[in-house]
Amino acid sequence: MDIINLKIKAAQIRIDLMQMITRAQAGHTGGSLSNTDILTALYYKIMKHSPENSKLENRDRFIASKGHSVESLWCILADLGYFPKEELETFSQFGSRLIGHPNNKVPGIEMNTGALGHGLSISVGMALASRREQIGYKVYCLMGDGEQAEGSIWEAAMAGAHYKLGNLVGIVDMNGLQISGSTSDVLSSDPLNEKWAAFGWNVIEIDGNCMEELVATFEAIDSTSDKPTLILAKTVKGKGVSFAENQVGWHHKVPTEEQLQSAVAELQQQIDSYRKELVANEYNS
Ligand SMILES: Cc1ncc(C[n+]2csc(CCOP(=O)(O)OP(=O)(O)O)c2C)c(N)n1
Ligand SMILES: [Mg+2]
């Protein structure tokens, strides 16, 4: 998929997740909107994976360590055909397997996550297994910037560097906010770039809502290197829905019907402008 189509896809996923959260009146709106571009780049362009065979041995692994913002992931897995799209209507309802955190009863989910701070340790183990068994898959682990306060992350960081896991990619969704305030006020982990570099990781800083930068960065990672990679992806919490952008309350606030209509209209406008760009590009080529 090319860059403009990836941007259209990301906007469509944002519409899907806003509808799903409004229907359920539950969900982590802000963090799902901030990570949508990262997940879209990974699932539609970068990762080797198969919706028809979710257990494909050499599939790349994705671990959502910031498991609370699972809504974008549910919408992407449904869109790709890991499970029927209608199942999104059961999100967060009693008896549904689409719960508020990743659940490995759902095809495409590797691990149950949600207790922050555990995903990177799991990812280190998976990346090590890939190396030792010579299977050749990569492991992508998405963490939050608030999550960086969890001590267990830094044990995993040491292990990832110690085992020279070039096939391991950590991504921090740097939206500047966590559940109760700004990340720097609640418990600052600055300077994250120097910390990860000191722990032996190859650190890259990018705009995590910019599809061009995301794709170029993921494509340039050398998984045969002897250093794991850590991407500090600067994002906007609530990205794409202006009334939710950079608002701490939207961590787990849910839209009213009116707010949903306004969000969908805004996102649809983005899609329309990308479509115009597509047509113009085709006309010029
Ligand atoms: C171990 C643990 N402690 C507390 C929580 C409650 N909690 C859920 S989300 C969150 C804030 C996470 O902030 P951040 O990592 O920045 O995520 P994002 O901003 O992307 O939503 C907290 C404290 C949790 N899920 N796990
Ligand atoms: Mg955050």
Side-chain angles (χ1 to χ4, degrees), residues 31 34 65-69 114-118 142-154 171-190 192 195-196 232-233 235 237 248 251:
S34 78
S65 190
K66 47 165 269 184
H68 57 281
S69 27
L116 296 167
H118 296 290
L142 179 66
M143 297 169 276
D145 53 355
E147 189 186 1
Q148 301 299 293
E150 296 285 351
S152 49
I153 288 186
W154 301 97
I171 307 147
V172 184
D173 186 350
M174 296 279 286
N175 56 33
L177 296 173
Q178 64 126 306
I179 196 168
S180 53
S182 85
T183 308
S184 53
D185 286 346
V186 177
L187 184 55
S188 173
S189 47
D190 290 342
L192 271 180
K195 284 184 180 148
W196 280 98
L232 292 174
T235 55
K237 201 155 176 170
V248 67
H251 177 77

Side-chain angles (χ1 to χ4, degrees), residues 193-244:
N193 50 0
E194 291 174 24
K195 284 184 180 148
W196 280 98
F199 273 74
W201 289 54
N202 167 36
V203 181
I204 307 170
E205 297 182 60
I206 63 166
D207 177 344
N209 293 127
C210 171
M211 199 55 79
E212 288 87 347
E213 280 192 45
L214 282 163
V215 168
T217 303
F218 285 129
E219 283 183 343
I221 292 170
D222 174 9
S223 59
T224 64
S225 112
D226 60 1
K227 271 188 175 190
T229 293
L230 192 280
I231 300 176
L232 292 174
K234 180 93 183 61
T235 55
V236 171
K237 201 155 176 170
K239 177 74 182 175
V241 175
S242 46
F243 60 79

